[in-house]
């Protein structure tokens, strides 16, 4: 009955009335000893809590107060256990409210609540939600009970709450956690789940505690007067305070467990929100924690969390980039607020040096633990931080790190740039400190010696060029990397991949010792490194040789360790290559790394790539199988490339990487110089690059690359395709194999490229693309090099027969060859025609060089095609070439005989560019080789009828043909010639071969006259109307040619002709001579040009005479109304003479009116004037430096008086006289050192400093010595010198006096 009554009472407590609270109070006073009754009693308590929400508050309040009283109920802890089992979250919050109410009382309940909380936790077996309990303690209280508290009680409350938070963290440590921590300390990492959960729990509590310090404490308490308590609470709740502050209340934890428990509570991760709030606290000037202390606290927390990296928890997870700005703001220097800087002065952004480098080290640690979220921004936007990252990754602590520069020159440039930036920074800090000092003391002077900020501040430029860390920062960085392994964390990052970026930036030509250390330090975890890194180490790391002393003992034994590591690495890479479980992109990355080096311009890099591929693809168990397969299957020369031809196709992911491999080998064929490697590449491409699923564009690229190899690398291709077998002396098996494979590739390409002819094709601007059309109605679009490559392949012997066990190619060994021959040189049809795609014009398929190669081959069809429709000139060119077989030479000579019959005598003579006697000897030599034919052509060359001395029509025709204007040496470009007259297109240079032919034609001509009267008569006869008659034309032409030759070779003859020509032109009574000249321009133009050609060899007086003669001739010609090419020659000559005359007229700069000219006009005037003064009076091109410098100095002085810019004149003076005082010392010395008026001093300051710098750095020792002597000896005229300029000159010489004097005196 009593039990039912108790249950009924609990059911009826369903509201928050005072009566119900009294009932609950009385129920809690019941004391039961029998277990069945206690069980029923606890059941009724559970029912009581479920009836109304306020019952929990009332129940726990009475129980806690009863526990703190002297009359404790033994059932209290059982009731508390029941309450927390049923409502764990609500009970934790209510318990925190009760504790906080007790702490607000004026009586100090802290010492009583500490053991009570420990008893509750022990009763609950640590099953208390400490996060909710602590968050309840940290809530803001704004009720009257709190606000009416006196300040000392408020301060005690803040300290008590802080102590309770620390106690809760200590109580989170269970016996199981202690055991897990002990096992972890023994390196037993079997089950760390409980330890990790404990660390996360404490991280949340500490995050809430920082939130309370940041937001709640400033609102509830007067922190301005209690700044020390504020900072102490923050450090204490983060377990950064001294140990005694955690057990001084009741000496708990006990001595035996104290150190372990404090260590466990301090070794916890730091959450992002907690770290960011700490940084915000430091940035808030209203809070007592300053920036330096805040930065130190953040640094300790980050390092403490980073040391827990081996627990498997995200100990330092940061996602927001705002942490970079927050940390940088903490390091920023702010000058005192009471100092007012000048309004026109913009102070630089500076940072406290110690804080700035601490921030960078802190960011380095945070970035190493969060590369996925912060790494890319740190790598790309913060160069100095990137420098630190590369230092820890490469374990090289020098500036610049080896990854920043690939050569010594770049390293020196970076160092010089750092020195310049440091000097600029020093000047800015001095200027800033000067303004700070003058704000309080106007007479203060700040220098490097008395500066207080120069060693404490640095420029806040984290996003600009990388800065050199101080030495103590380097030591801290090294220590930090050794303890936290930051370099390994960054190297393991794959997104972004810092390590791969370093390897690619540094290049593959440099040996990277840090890479070997990185691989060795990775122990067995090679999979954490990128395959590119492993491949790089494999290529560059070779075992060291064992050193042996004189007694035969081994000095060092690192070889076995290195070999073991290399074998382990090689085995790892081979497993990746041959494993079907590995993703294809991993194999592709590995192959791409090696294949990319095959196109390197350096032989060493390509050989390393081939070596690495061979090592990775060749497994030990495959060596014996390959040796057995190679016997009789392929040439011995390709056995070294079994890794390519046999091993590579067997990897599981070959289909995925085949396309990339083929493209890389195509490109490698354009670079590789090893003929065996190129041969192996071609064989591989013939097997795997022309599959059925190959797209046409890829096949086009393949044949184009192979065509470039064949056409542009003839030496290498000849070595491959024409190599001889040492035993038989015939073409080697390798040559035959490569030729067959190439023919197969091009044959397959033609099968796919040919198609039905289309009526229209799309236009393309590609110049080398052609459309080939066959008469059978087919067409194909291809590159012209592809056509040339196929024809070149057809010229090589195709005698190789592949083994019967290889491919289908051996079924018809000549099939591919015959197909290509029939395609390009059909027997029963016309050859194909080609047209350019861009212009639709017909293209030349067989240029002369290709025809010559076809003639040198042993294929009759190619030879006959090359000899078809050859011109005489082509035949004469081919017959003089070497390497043509005897039979083919016979065909050439026969074609030459036919051409001699088809063409006239004059056509053959015009086509010949060689000496006929040489051609006769060449034909005799070919007959000695066994060639046949050429007798008719030889007989034609040896005929006596081809002569100028004969009197028949044939002789006249020869002379008429040769009567074209003869080129005279050296006259090209003097006269342009008239476009209306075809004869003026003929040049005037005499070619030696033509001169010899003309000499043989006029060897019987009569001697030329030596007197002026006789020469006048001769000239009149040459240009008379009778000279053109058929009876006298031969003699007239012969005489004219003799006259031109003698003028070129004999100076006396030239003078005689010139005088006679002058007399005839100035003879007023003889007007027929000028008219006859215009009637026969074929002779007159060469004669006039021959006269003008030698004008430059005459004196000034003779040149004037010739000019007067030509002016007179032009005047008479225009007066008579003649309009021939002679007028054009005369006009051009006289115009050139007028330009020369104008250019030689001396103009002095000082005579020019330079006032009012802008910079552009002044530049033009100076350019023209100085060019005219380059030549001296004799006109021989000697540079008159003294005169030009004198003129420029006078002009500068004049410009100085006018008050305009003289910079352009100074630049011209530097060009004319780089030494500044060597041309006209007195005037130039006055220009540099003269004293100027007050209104000119400020404007002349920079030009004068520039002139002094030029004098100091560009003058030799003699000039400097003369200047010093001159300045020191001018004691009477010192008043005319600018003392500052003179002293600046000597000061500039002093630091370099010893070194510069030695270099000057050399």
């Amino acid at each position: 009955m009593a039990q039912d009554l108790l249950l009924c009472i609990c059911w009826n407590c369903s509201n928050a009335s005072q009566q119900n609270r009294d009932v609950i109070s009385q129920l809690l006073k019941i004391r039961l000893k029998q277990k069945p009754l206690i069980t029923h009693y606890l059941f009724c308590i559970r029912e009581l809590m479920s009836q109304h929400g306020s019952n929990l508050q009332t129940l726990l309040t009475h129980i806690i107060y009863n526990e703190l009283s002297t009359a404790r109920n033994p059932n209290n802890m059982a009731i508390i256990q029941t309450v927390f089992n049923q409502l764990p979250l609500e009970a934790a919050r209510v318990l925190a409210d009760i504790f906080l109410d007790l702490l607000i009382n004026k009586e100090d309940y802290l010492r009583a609540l500490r053991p009570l909380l420990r008893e509750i936790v022990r009763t609950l077996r640590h099953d208390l939600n400490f996060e909710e309990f602590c968050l309840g303690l940290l809530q803001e209280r704004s009720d009257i009970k709190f606000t009416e508290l006196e300040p000392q009680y408020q301060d005690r409350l803040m300290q008590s709450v802080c102590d309770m938070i620390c106690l809760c963290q200590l109580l989170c440590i269970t016996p199981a956690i202690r055991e897990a921590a002990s096992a972890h300390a023994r390196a037993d990492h079997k089950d760390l789940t409980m330890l990790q959960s404990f660390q996360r729990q404490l991280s949340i509590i500490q995050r809430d505690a920082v939130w309370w310090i940041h937001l709640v404490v400033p609102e509830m308490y007067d922190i301005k007067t209690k700044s020390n308590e504020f900072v102490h609470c923050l450090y204490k709740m983060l377990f950064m305070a001294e140990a005694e502050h955690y057990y001084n209340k009741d000496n708990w934890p006990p001595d035996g467990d104290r150190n372990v428990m404090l260590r466990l509570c301090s070794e916890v991760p730091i959450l992002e929100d907690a770290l960011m709030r700490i940084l915000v606290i430091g940035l808030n000037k209203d809070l007592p924690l300053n920036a330096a202390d805040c930065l130190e606290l953040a640094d300790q927390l980050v390092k403490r969390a980073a040391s827990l990296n081996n627990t498997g928890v995200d100990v330092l997870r940061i996602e927001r980039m705002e942490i970079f700005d927050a940390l940088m703001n903490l390091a920023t220097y702010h000058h005192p607020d009471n100092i007012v800087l000048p309004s026109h002065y913009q102070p630089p952004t500076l940072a406290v040096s110690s804080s700035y480098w601490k921030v960078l080290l802190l960011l380095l640690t945070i970035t190493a633990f969060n590369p996925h979220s912060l790494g890319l921004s740190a790598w790309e936007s913060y160069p100095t931080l990137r420098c630190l990252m590369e230092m820890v990754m490469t374990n090289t602590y020098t500036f610049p790190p080896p990854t920043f520069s690939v050569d010594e020159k770049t390293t020196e440039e970076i160092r010089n740039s750092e020195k310049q930036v440091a000097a600029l920074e020093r000047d800015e800090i001095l200027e800033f400190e000067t303004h700070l000092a003058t704000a309080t003391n106007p007479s203060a002077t700040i220098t490097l010696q008395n500066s207080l900020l120069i060693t404490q501040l640095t420029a806040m430029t984290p996003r600009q060029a990388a800065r050199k860390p101080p030495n103590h920062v380097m030591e801290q960085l090294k220590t930090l990397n050794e303890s936290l392994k930051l370099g390994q964390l960054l190297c393991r990052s794959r997104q972004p991949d810092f390590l791969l970026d370093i390897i690619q930036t540094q290049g593959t030509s440099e040996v990277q010792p840090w890479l070997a250390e990185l691989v060795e330090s990775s122990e067995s975890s090679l999979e954490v490194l990128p395959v590119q890194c492993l491949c790089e180490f494999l290529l560059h790391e070779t075992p060291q040789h064992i050193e042996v002393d004189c007694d035969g003992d081994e000095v060092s034994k690192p070889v076995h360790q290195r070999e073991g590591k290399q074998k382990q690495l090689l085995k790892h890479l081979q497993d990746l290559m041959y494993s079907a479980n590995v993703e294809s992109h991993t194999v592709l990355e590995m192959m791409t790394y090696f294949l990319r080096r095959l196109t390197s311009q350096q032989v060493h890099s390509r050989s390393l790539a081939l070596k690495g591929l061979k090592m990775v693809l060749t497994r030990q168990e495959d060596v014996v199988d390959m040796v057995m397969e190679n016997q009789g299957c392929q040439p011995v020369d390709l056995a070294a490339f079994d890794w390519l031809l046999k091993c590579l196709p067997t990897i599981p992911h070959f289909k995925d990487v085949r396309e990339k491999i083929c493209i890389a080998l195509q490109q490698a064929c354009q670079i590789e110089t090893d003929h065996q490697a190129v041969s192996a590449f071609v064989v591989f491409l013939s097997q795997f690059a022309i599959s059925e699923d190959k797209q046409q564009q890829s096949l086009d690229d393949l044949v184009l690359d192979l065509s470039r190899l064949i056409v542009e690398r003839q030496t290498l291709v000849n070595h491959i395709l024409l190599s001889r077998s040492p035993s038989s002396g015939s073409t080697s098996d390798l040559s035959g194999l490569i030729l067959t494979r190439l023919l197969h590739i091009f044959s397959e390409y033609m099968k796919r490229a040919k198609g039905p002819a289309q009526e229209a094709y799309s236009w393309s601007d590609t110049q080398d693309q052609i459309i080939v059309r066959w008469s059978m109605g087919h067409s194909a679009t291809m590159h012209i090099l592809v056509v040339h490559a196929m024809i070149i392949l057809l010229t090589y012997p195709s005698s190789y027969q592949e083994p019967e066990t290889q491919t289908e190619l051996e079924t018809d060994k000549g099939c591919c060859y015959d197909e290509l021959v029939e395609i390009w040189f059909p027997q029963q049809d016309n050859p194909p025609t080609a047209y350019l795609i861009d212009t639709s014009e017909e293209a030349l398929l067989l240029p002369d060089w290709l025809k010559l190669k076809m003639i040198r081959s042993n294929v009759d069809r190619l030879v006959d095609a090359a000899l078809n429709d050859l011109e005489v000139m082509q035949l004469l060119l081919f017959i003089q070439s070497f390497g043509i077989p005897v039979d083919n030479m016979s065909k050439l000579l026969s074609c030459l005989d036919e051409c001699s019959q088809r063409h006239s005598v004059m056509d053959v003579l015009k086509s010949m560019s060689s000496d006929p006697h040489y051609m006769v000897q060449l034909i005799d030599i070919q007959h000695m080789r066994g060639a046949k034919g050429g007798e008719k052509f030889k007989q034609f060359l040896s005929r006596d009828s081809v002569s100028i001395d004969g009197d028949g029509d044939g002789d006249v025709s020869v002379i008429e043909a040769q009567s074209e204007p003869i080129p005279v040496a050296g006259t090209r470009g003097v006269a342009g010639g008239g476009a209306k007259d075809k004869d003026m297109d003929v040049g005037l240079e005499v070619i030696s071969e033509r001169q010899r032919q003309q000499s043989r034609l006029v060897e019987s001509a009569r001697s030329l006259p030596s007197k002026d009267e006789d020469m006048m008569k001769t000239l009149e006869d040459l240009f008379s109307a009778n000279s053109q008659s058929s009876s006298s034309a031969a003699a007239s032409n012969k005489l004219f040619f003799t006259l031109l030759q003698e003028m070129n070779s004999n100076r006396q003859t030239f003078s005689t002709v010139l005088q006679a020509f002058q007399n005839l032109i100035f003879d007023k009574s003889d007007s027929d001579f000028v008219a006859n000249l215009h009637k026969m321009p074929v002779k007159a133009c060469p004669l006039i040009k021959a006269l003008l050609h030698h004008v430059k060899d005459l004196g000034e007086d003779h040149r004037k005479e010739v000019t007067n003669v030509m002016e007179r001739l032009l005047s008479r010609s225009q007066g008579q109304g003649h309009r021939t090419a002679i007028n054009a020659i005369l006009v051009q000559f006289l115009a050139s003479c007028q330009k020369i005359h104008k250019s030689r007229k001396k103009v002095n700069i000082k005579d020019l009116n330079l006032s009012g000219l802008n910079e552009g006009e002044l530049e033009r005037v100076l350019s023209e004037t100085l060019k005219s003064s380059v030549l001296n009076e004799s006109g021989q091109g000697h540079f008159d430096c003294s005169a030009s410098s004198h003129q420029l100095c006078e002009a500068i002085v004049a410009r100085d008086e006018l008050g305009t810019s003289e910079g352009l004149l100074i630049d011209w003076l530097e060009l004319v006289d780089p030494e500044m005082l060597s041309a006209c010392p007195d005037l130039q010395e006055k220009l540099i050192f003269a004293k100027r008026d007050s209104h000119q001093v400020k404007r002349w300051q920079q030009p004068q400093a520039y002139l002094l710098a030029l004098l100091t750095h560009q003058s030799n020792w003699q000039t400097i010595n003369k200047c010093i002597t001159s300045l020191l000896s001018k004691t009477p005229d010192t008043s005319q010198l600018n003392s500052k300029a003179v002293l600046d000159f000597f000061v500039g010489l002093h630091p370099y006096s010893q070194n510069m004097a030695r270099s000057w005196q050399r």
Side-chain angles (χ1 to χ4, degrees), residues 431-500:
E431 183 182 6
F432 177 64
E433 189 174 1
T434 300
H435 287 292
L436 293 178
T438 54
T440 56
N441 184 10
S443 61
T445 303
I446 304 299
T447 62
L448 288 175
Q449 288 72 25
N450 63 1
S451 174
L452 300 178
L453 300 181
I454 197 72
T455 58
Q456 299 182 20
L457 299 183
T458 186
M460 175 62 80
T461 56
R463 293 178 180 269
Q464 298 182 13
R467 300 298 307 277
K468 178 182 179 181
N471 294 332
H472 70 277
V473 176
M474 289 286 196
E475 294 297 328
Q476 295 176 11
L477 179 64
K478 184 177 181 180
T479 304
L480 188 66
N481 187 32
E482 291 175 353
S483 60
L484 301 181
K485 307 297 181 184
L486 302 180
Q488 293 187 15
L489 294 176
L490 293 171
C491 289
R492 292 174 182 175
S493 174
R494 299 281 72 81
Q495 188 64 33
D497 201 328
F498 306 114
L499 185 59
L500 182 59

Side-chain angles (χ1 to χ4, degrees), residues 1000-1016:
R1000 288 192 295 271
L1001 290 174
V1002 297
E1003 61 183 359
S1004 61
R1006 60 183 176 85
S1007 300
L1008 294 175
S1010 59
K1011 296 182 180 181
D1012 295 342
E1013 296 80 3
D1014 298 336
M1015 185 59 70
M1016 291 175 60

